[in-house]
Amino acid sequence: MSKNNFLRTRCARGFSLVELLVVIAIISLLTSTMLASYDSVKKKNRDAKRQADLAQVSIALNLYYNENGLYPIGSCISSRAPNWNCWGSPDQLSNPATPGRLLPAQDIVNMPQDPLYWDAGTACSVQDGSRLYAYYSDDGKRYVLATRLEDIQPNDPHYINNPNYPGSCLTFANWAIKQGF
């Protein structure tokens, strides 16, 4: 086999630089598309968890109401602790048997936390973009449970825009379960 035939045969089996660059570009495009859709799926999963968490707290609040004739009065925001940070009427949220708890342990053992819990404020000065849950009841006959979803649709029946509940910490929220409001 001559030297020229060997080189010709070897080159015919390989890929050119242009072909390799085209393949790399296609793989990069597919990867970026998959990562974008993966991020969207993660947001939707976290939002579904938020909605399920607040639905469970709502059930526990209704159990509490059936036992006591009132919802807990005051405001609460979720924290890293198993309880939520609560303040309100001394006979409700500041009960010595369950200090700082929204609900007694027999109604709900561990209060849920936002999957991306991040509180950029203190007490009621919650900053926009915070990731937490909030509760508010002004009279024990009605309540609001709220959070901020990452992928909210304005046609969602639980969508809230600029929530204004005097004495509450719900200004960061865009989604809520409301009972009586």
Side-chain angles (χ1 to χ4, degrees):
M1 183 184 249
S2 72
K3 187 176 181 180
N4 286 341
N5 283 342
F6 176 74
L7 290 176
R8 212 176 291 130
T9 308
R10 183 158 168 79
C11 290
R13 288 185 292 168
F15 295 105
S16 70
L17 182 60
V18 172
E19 292 170 326
L20 288 174
L21 290 174
V22 168
V23 169
I24 290 171
I26 290 171
I27 290 172
S28 299
L29 181 66
L30 289 172
T31 303
S32 65
T33 304
M34 287 179 6
L35 287 176
S37 62
Y38 178 69
D39 189 49
S40 174
V41 167
K42 283 179 20 180
K43 285 180 182 179
K44 288 180 182 183
N45 284 342
R46 287 190 299 261
D47 283 347
K49 181 181 181 332
R50 290 178 180 107
Q51 293 168 333
D53 284 349
L54 292 187
Q56 289 298 312
V57 173
S58 178
I59 291 168
L61 283 165
N62 289 325
L63 288 171
Y64 181 92
Y65 183 85
N66 288 340
E67 294 167 3
N68 299 289
L70 287 173
Y71 295 110
I73 299 170
S75 293
C76 296
I77 58 173
S78 60
S79 68
R80 292 199 186 279
N83 303 326
W84 289 6
N85 293 327
C86 300
W87 53 97
S89 88
D91 59 333
Q92 293 287 325
L93 296 177
S94 300
N95 183 336
T98 57
R101 275 192 76 101
L102 172 59
L103 294 164
Q106 72 260 21
D107 291 328
I108 190 164
V109 177
N110 288 319
M111 297 300 290
Q113 298 174 8
D114 187 278
L116 287 179
Y117 175 82
W118 178 68
D119 181 7
T122 57
C124 226
S125 63
V126 177
Q127 303 295 317
D128 191 35
S130 291
R131 296 283 173 212
L132 43 83
Y133 301 145
Y135 167 83
Y136 173 70
S137 178
D138 58 351
D139 61 2
K141 296 177 185 163
R142 57 190 185 166
Y143 69 86
V144 178
L145 280 169
T147 191
R148 181 167 197 81
L149 297 184
E150 296 174 74
D151 189 26
I152 185 72
Q153 303 299 320
N155 61 351
D156 185 319
H158 294 283
Y159 172 74
I160 55 175
N161 187 20
N162 297 323
N164 185 13
Y165 300 98
S168 75
C169 298
L170 304 178
T171 55
F172 74 95
N174 63 7
W175 190 89
I177 294 175
K178 297 181 268 186
Q179 178 70 38
F181 276 97

